[in-house]
Amino acid sequence: MTTTASASDRTGQFPFDFAPQRTQDADLLRQLNFVPGLKEVLALRQVHALEHATVWVLGQSVGATTARTDNELLGGMSTDQGFFLYGHVNIAQLRQAVREALQRIASGEWDLAVHPRCGTNLSVAMLLTAGLAVGINLALPRGPILQLLGLGAAAAAAAQLAPDVGSLAQRYVTTAIPFNLSVVDITVSHDFWGREAHFVRVRWVE
């Protein structure tokens, strides 16, 4: 997840329309264990969901159980081994938040997997803009004024569609409910670019 798009106060706008099965990823891995990198991809999707859920829990009002607010000072980046959390946070508070996030999302609060500031939304917006721009470029006459107006319309349409389409992409493509994750430890570490962050290390469990 990256801090890119505007924040929202809830994720329930796009509830899951099916019940994720607790063994679905483990079953898939057993059936297709010959596919290189499959376990890493499945783990990354689950870590991504846990990252989002943790950010939601950290932004939640103290003592609240349903209200969700987004702390825009927090951001994260997921790997198949765990996730980096950026921003000022007490490590004891983070440990509690990760445990709570994992318990809540695995117990049925599946909308915690979706976050409005996820980089998925930015990627979707870019793809939509490019696709609409190409389509409009082919459909409109070659005059520069019409082409510029068309590009503006494409950008505006993409901006309107991106949050909804991005949320769908998160639900079905880039995240999965972390039924197979167990938290190993949380340490202060550095990411690939040398930035300091807390790293929440996880392991895969059947």
Side-chain angles (χ1 to χ4, degrees), residues 147-186:
Q147 287 292 317
L148 286 174
L149 290 175
L151 288 175
Q160 289 294 318
L161 293 171
D164 291 1
V165 179
S167 293
L168 289 171
Q170 288 183 60
R171 283 197 296 155
Y172 297 113
V173 180
T174 64
T175 70
I177 305 305
F179 292 130
N180 300 102
L181 296 186
S182 174
V183 177
V184 176
D185 59 23
I186 301 175

Side-chain angles (χ1 to χ4, degrees), residues 121 124-130 132 152-163 165:
N121 288 18
V124 166
M126 293 172 63
L127 288 172
L128 284 173
T129 301
L132 290 171
Q160 289 294 318
L161 293 171
V165 179

Side-chain angles (χ1 to χ4, degrees), residues 28-49:
L28 182 63
L29 188 59
R30 280 191 291 270
Q31 294 168 8
L32 301 175
N33 60 0
F34 56 88
V35 177
L38 178 60
K39 183 176 182 180
E40 287 75 15
V41 171
L42 296 176
L44 177 59
R45 295 177 71 228
Q46 292 197 20
V47 172
H48 195 187

